[in-house]
Amino acid sequence: KEILTRIENVIQGVVTSMSKNEAPVLALPNRSSWANVSFDSAIGLQMSSGSSVTTIRSDCASSVTKFAQILKILLVIYRLVQSSSYATKRDIYYNNTQLFGSQKTVDSIVDDISCMLKVPRRSLHVLATSKGLISGDLCYLEEDGTRIDCHSSSAAVAVSSNIGGIRNIVSSAKFVMIVEKDATFQRLLDDDFCTKLFPCIIITGKGVPDVNSRLMVRKLWDTLHIPIFALVDADPHGIEIMCIYKYGSVAMSFEAHSLTVPSVMWLGLLPSDLQRLRVPEDALIPLTKRDESKLSSLLKRPYLTSQPDMQKEV
């Protein structure tokens, strides 16, 4: 497989350096810099080809641990791909808790490796437990043949941890609605929203969405070609969450083609709705310093500067 060759090339680079008595170095694309990202309204935020890299040295006290962690995870991934088996990021963490120190470290390095090898994360055979929920007019088969029915109005279904393996999607939904908050999602579920209004699908990533929730929205868009709306809070964090589904994030910009849905429409709550709906002043929560900082950050982002209507709302 192509991915095995790419891992072998990385290891070969390490071995070559050692054979020359040089300290091996790994170069990781910088996934946190806006300077490394370009914006295309048809795709969203995508990593630029000449993006800057972070150097992880094996002879430097501050990076030697990360160097060892990356090699260890590359070894795990190599074995998984070779044996056509899968593991969760949690499994990898418990494989060597002393080396990794925290689950967050594993999560970040798996994404770093995916970016370094230029392959989607699912190609690494590493799965993440989903935090998202989905409900509504939707049935599909998981990769192992399990039939999932999302029609129940009393309980939602956890978003699959292997979106790439989903097949035989059946739905008569008229639209998909992304709901920012779990509490709002549960309220819509209790009110039987998906059958009372129109047949539809509702999905929540419970705040900032994980990759599986974003992949699921993209999968529904690719398969069903129906409108996708976003229902988020009229605050900077809600707007940012809607933009993550729509345009992607800096950290995952290398996977933009499979994660973003630029056609997502901002249903509400719009800041302008507050006046239109005559929401009383005492019902509003003042913006915090953190909100104001997020707001000024949003206003500088390329996807807002190219969308005057959205910019006006912000």
Side-chain angles (χ1 to χ4, degrees), residues 31-48:
R31 295 191 301 114
S32 59
S33 169
W34 279 92
N36 278 351
V37 169
S38 62
F39 176 68
D40 180 329
S41 58
I43 298 161
L45 298 171
Q46 52 185 341
M47 188 168 273
S48 311

Side-chain angles (χ1 to χ4, degrees), residues 249-270:
S249 61
V250 175
M252 296 301 290
S253 56
F254 64 95
E255 265 210 69
H257 286 270
S258 59
L259 281 176
T260 62
V261 185
S263 59
V264 165
M265 289 174 274
W266 188 6
L267 180 66
L269 190 67
L270 304 175

Side-chain angles (χ1 to χ4, degrees), residues 7 24 49 126 138 215 252 311:
I7 294 173
S49 52
V126 177
L138 177 69
L215 283 169
M252 296 301 290
Q311 205 171 12

Side-chain angles (χ1 to χ4, degrees), residues 225-241:
H225 303 293
I226 53 177
I228 298 185
F229 300 104
L231 180 65
V232 298
D233 283 347
D235 66 15
H237 293 276
I239 295 166
E240 181 179 50
I241 284 166

Side-chain angles (χ1 to χ4, degrees), residues 77 96 133 142:
I77 289 167
N96 196 330
L133 297 171
E142 290 272 18

Side-chain angles (χ1 to χ4, degrees), residues 102-127:
S102 74
Q103 180 66 57
K104 205 172 172 182
T105 300
V106 174
D107 297 353
S108 175
I109 289 175
V110 167
D111 289 337
D112 281 338
I113 289 172
S114 175
C115 187
M116 176 175 71
L117 300 178
K118 296 185 170 58
V119 292
R121 195 181 67 190
R122 59 194 173 280
S123 301
L124 304 178
H125 285 228
V126 177
L127 305 174

Side-chain angles (χ1 to χ4, degrees), residues 25-270:
V25 169
L26 294 171
L28 298 180
N30 188 336
R31 295 191 301 114
S32 59
S33 169
W34 279 92
N36 278 351
V37 169
S38 62
F39 176 68
D40 180 329
S41 58
I43 298 161
L45 298 171
Q46 52 185 341
M47 188 168 273
S48 311
S49 52
S51 57
S52 64
V53 295
T54 305
T55 305
I56 312 296
R57 301 189 62 86
S58 59
D59 62 346
C60 174
S62 62
S63 64
V64 66
T65 304
K66 185 162 185 179
F67 185 90
Q69 291 165 340
I70 294 169
L71 285 191
K72 175 65 180 172
I73 295 177
L74 278 171
L75 170 66
V76 172
I77 289 167
Y78 193 88
R79 286 176 174 163
L80 288 170
V81 176
Q82 212 172 24
S83 60
S84 294
S85 48
Y86 288 84
T88 64
K89 291 196 283 191
R90 199 95 185 121
D91 295 333
I92 295 175
Y93 169 62
Y94 281 115
N95 183 286
N96 196 330
T97 53
Q98 213 170 350
L99 174 62
F100 298 123
S102 74
Q103 180 66 57
K104 205 172 172 182
T105 300
V106 174
D107 297 353
S108 175
I109 289 175
V110 167
D111 289 337
D112 281 338
I113 289 172
S114 175
C115 187
M116 176 175 71
L117 300 178
K118 296 185 170 58
V119 292
R121 195 181 67 190
R122 59 194 173 280
S123 301
L124 304 178
H125 285 228
V126 177
L127 305 174
T129 308
S130 299
K131 66 169 183 158
L133 297 171
I134 189 164
S135 182
D137 192 317
L138 177 69
C139 288
Y140 59 84
L141 291 182
E142 290 272 18
E143 191 168 35
D144 64 2
T146 309
R147 184 174 180 273
I148 306 294
D149 188 340
C150 303
H151 282 84
S152 168
S153 58
S154 55
V157 171
V159 169
S160 170
S161 57
N162 185 5
I163 306 296
I166 289 177
R167 53 202 162 90
N168 295 27
I169 293 177
V170 177
S171 174
S172 347
K174 303 290 181 208
F175 62 88
V176 174
M177 187 161 76
I178 298 162
V179 182
E180 175 194 349
K181 290 210 163 120
D182 186 30
T184 312
F185 178 88
Q186 296 298 339
R187 176 67 194 270
L188 292 171
L189 207 59
D190 293 342
D191 290 346
D192 208 6
F193 175 81
C194 290
T195 50
K196 278 184 181 165
L197 184 66
F198 288 109
C200 65
I201 297 164
I202 56 174
I203 183 168
T204 181
K206 297 183 183 177
V208 177
D210 58 351
V211 170
N212 288 327
S213 299
R214 291 166 63 188
L215 283 169
M216 189 69 186
V217 171
R218 176 63 194 236
K219 182 94 172 179
L220 293 172
W221 163 246
D222 284 340
T223 312
L224 303 175
H225 303 293
I226 53 177
I228 298 185
F229 300 104
L231 180 65
V232 298
D233 283 347
D235 66 15
H237 293 276
I239 295 166
E240 181 179 50
I241 284 166
M242 185 265 297
C243 289
I244 289 173
Y245 284 105
K246 189 174 173 68
Y247 298 125
S249 61
V250 175
M252 296 301 290
S253 56
F254 64 95
E255 265 210 69
H257 286 270
S258 59
L259 281 176
T260 62
V261 185
S263 59
V264 165
M265 289 174 274
W266 188 6
L267 180 66
L269 190 67
L270 304 175

